[in-house]
Amino acid sequence: MRNGAPTRRLGIMGGTFDPIHHGHLVAASEVAHHFNLDEVVFVPTGRPWQKAEQTVSAAEDRYLMTVIATASNPRFSVSRIDVDRPGPTFTIDTLRDIAGMYEPDAELYFITGADALAQILSWRDVDELFTRAHFVGCTRPGHLLQDPGLPEGKVSLIEIPALAISSSECRQRVASGEPIWYLVPDGIVQYINKRGLYRAS
Ligand code: ATP
Ligand code: MG
């Protein structure tokens, strides 16, 4: 509490978003509901360090798709902090920068897929990560997460209904001429077509 105002609860959804799809959006919406978040900030990565070997679309395209996909939700916003920071993106930098930009006492909830969460112990400055944010791992129904030895009380797991969508699958579908309607928002289908993204060269 500051000046009688309740502490704000902020979700942070980091991702490559190449492209953003309904799995990301449903995960953010479910976590926002479950943890009573005031806002979810989507943060497209600059250069994702785990994907250094792989070609990733231009940051500006990924940023714009994230803006298009979230524009209609008053509780969703998009931050450029990772896109504008030179060098590879590390989650600790994202959390430090976000903490500096919003109310200093805001509670941060970092939303991530269970796959990424399982590797979290290899992330940079892992101890500081857990002091800065609560981590929420999204799992698929029936997909049990092995306890990777994460600190108690710092991580929650929540099941997201029926979402096997991935960006990789969307890119492959575009490359082979298959539709991605309804896997991603309509505006994303149109943006991908307009910019010629993911077409086989
Ligand atoms: P790629 O297939 O290229 O790895 P992706 O679909 O996993 O892409 P990312 O941008 O890498 O998308 O993911 C951002 C975050 O969203 C990660 O924490 C990831 O685990 C999570 N995520 C991705 N897809 C889903 C989904 N269908 N349901 C819930 N969370 C998801
Ligand atoms: Mg992924």
Side-chain angles (χ1 to χ4, degrees):
M1 282 269 225
R2 233 181 1 139
N3 307 328
T7 308
R8 291 232 313 150
R9 297 159 75 88
L10 273 188
I12 300 166
M13 177 94 194
T16 315
F17 303 132
D18 192 19
I20 190 166
H21 53 67
H22 279 131
H24 299 131
L25 295 163
V26 171
S29 163
E30 285 290 301
V31 174
H33 172 72
H34 195 267
F35 290 94
N36 205 10
L37 303 183
D38 296 292
E39 183 178 342
V40 177
V41 186
F42 287 71
V43 190
T45 52
R47 268 210 94 10
W49 63 273
Q50 302 98 327
K51 296 185 181 178
E53 306 298 310
Q54 162 186 333
T55 320
V56 172
S57 301
E60 213 54 41
D61 282 323
R62 295 182 291 102
Y63 169 75
L64 283 174
M65 287 192 281
T66 308
V67 170
I68 291 165
T70 56
S72 62
N73 188 323
R75 287 181 190 249
F76 286 177
S77 62
V78 185
S79 168
R80 294 189 59 94
I81 46 166
D82 284 353
V83 164
D84 290 342
R85 187 189 314 101
T89 295
F90 293 95
T91 298
I92 191 63
D93 297 324
T94 311
L95 290 179
R96 284 177 188 148
D97 290 355
I98 292 261
M101 287 165 64
Y102 290 82
E103 307 87 289
D105 57 354
E107 281 174 20
L108 304 186
Y109 290 78
F110 191 85
I111 307 165
T112 179
D115 53 324
L117 195 62
Q119 299 168 16
I120 203 168
L121 295 175
S122 70
W123 292 6
R124 182 179 279 193
D125 296 325
V126 64
D127 296 335
E128 187 186 338
L129 280 179
F130 290 114
T131 66
R132 291 196 171 268
H134 187 83
F135 281 72
V136 184
C138 300
T139 66
R140 275 186 270 154
H143 192 268
L144 271 182
L145 184 73
Q146 303 278 339
D147 179 4
L150 299 165
E152 228 169 283
K154 295 289 184 185
V155 180
S156 309
L157 297 176
I158 99 165
E159 272 198 355
I160 306 295
L163 280 171
I165 308 174
S166 70
S167 299
S168 321
E169 159 127 40
C170 293
R171 295 192 300 272
Q172 277 158 22
R173 292 182 71 97
V174 173
S176 54
E178 292 169 304
I180 54 168
W181 289 108
Y182 315 117
L183 297 175
V184 302
D186 293 357
I188 302 306
V189 181
Q190 288 153 342
Y191 186 89
I192 289 169
N193 285 339
K194 170 174 146 180
R195 299 275 298 139
L197 302 179
Y198 316 129
R199 287 203 197 127
S201 45

